[in-house]
Amino acid sequence: MIIAIDGPAAAGKGTLARRLAAHFGYPHLDTGALYRAVARRLLEAGRAPDDAAAAVAAAEALSSDELASPRLRDEEVGRATSVLAAIPAVRAALLAFQRRFAATPPGAVLDGRDIGTVVCPEAEVKVFLVADAAERARRRAKELQDRGVPAIEARILQDIQERDARDSGRSTAPLSQAEDAFVLDTTQLDPEAAFRAVLAHIASRAR
Ligand code: DC
């Protein structure tokens, strides 16, 4: 079974995906980490995030051990990521890896922006998470503060709003919900409640 989880930044995709992966015994791919790892390579090489040729070369040279670096979560990396994620050739360069990961038996959980629409339109389970921007900014600020990184919530909210607009407005694989997605608003839900709601949805589909 392929479980596709999409939604905007800090809606709770990663936490939900990890819990579902542990529950079903599937591997989990945080596809945002792929795009973030490309951004990190570019920043370290002193290249601009909209340098398409450099970004494609970085995407083609990625290795899976780069996906675990905590630096990928830095806000600077996140900002650069949403710029290069709009480049169609970068998305194309990362597609085969994601599809191979998803197609490996017995199943997989992938989270991102276009999993249910572009990467795995055949996924048996599609979840689209949403949450108010202010609540998402509060969560992201807490996540950074817990890691000892100073964070200003108002600045993060502005960043999230800009990123939402870029992720939704780009012409290739924009953030959008699949017609057959289960839409879950996590504004008022803690991670446990969101997990339970998705498990109930999966159980109802199996009947
Ligand atoms: O989910 P995240 O915050 O790690 O994503 C970082 C950026 O990467 C975000 O601006 C959107 C982009 N992204 C994407 O375009 N497609 C994906 N499948 C995953 C992430």
Side-chain angles (χ1 to χ4, degrees), residues 52-203:
V56 170
E60 285 169 347
L62 271 194
S63 66
S64 11
D65 49 315
E66 289 169 58
L67 306 181
S69 163
R71 276 220 43 214
L72 299 186
R73 306 305 308 170
D74 290 355
E75 290 300 292
E76 182 199 15
V77 173
R79 266 193 299 278
T81 306
S82 95
V83 175
L84 66 85
I87 303 172
V90 172
R91 306 197 69 83
L94 296 174
L95 199 53
F97 176 81
Q98 296 175 80
R99 287 194 171 147
R100 254 198 322 276
F101 187 97
T104 307
V109 182
L110 287 85
D111 76 86
R113 301 293 190 288
D114 60 340
I115 309 304
T117 49
V118 175
V119 178
C120 304
E122 77 288 9
E124 289 85 349
V125 176
K126 298 180 187 179
V127 179
F128 194 84
L129 291 186
V130 293
D132 285 354
E135 172 60 18
R136 291 188 282 128
R138 196 190 62 72
R139 289 178 192 166
R140 187 51 57 87
K142 181 167 183 312
E143 185 187 313
L144 288 167
Q145 284 153 4
D146 286 350
R147 281 174 41 208
V149 180
I152 303 165
E153 206 172 304
R155 174 82 206 281
I156 293 178
L157 175 58
Q158 194 189 348
D159 244 36
I160 278 186
Q161 286 165 333
E162 284 170 14
R163 217 178 302 170
D164 282 356
R166 259 199 306 269
D167 293 346
S168 306
R170 67 180 177 229
S171 51
T172 305
L175 168 67
S176 67
Q177 74 196 54
E179 265 178 30
D180 50 349
F182 170 61
V183 181
L184 184 65
D185 186 332
T186 69
T187 308
Q188 312 276 355
L189 299 182
D190 65 13
E192 174 68 21
F195 172 63
R196 293 279 152 213
V198 172
L199 277 189
H201 165 71
I202 294 173

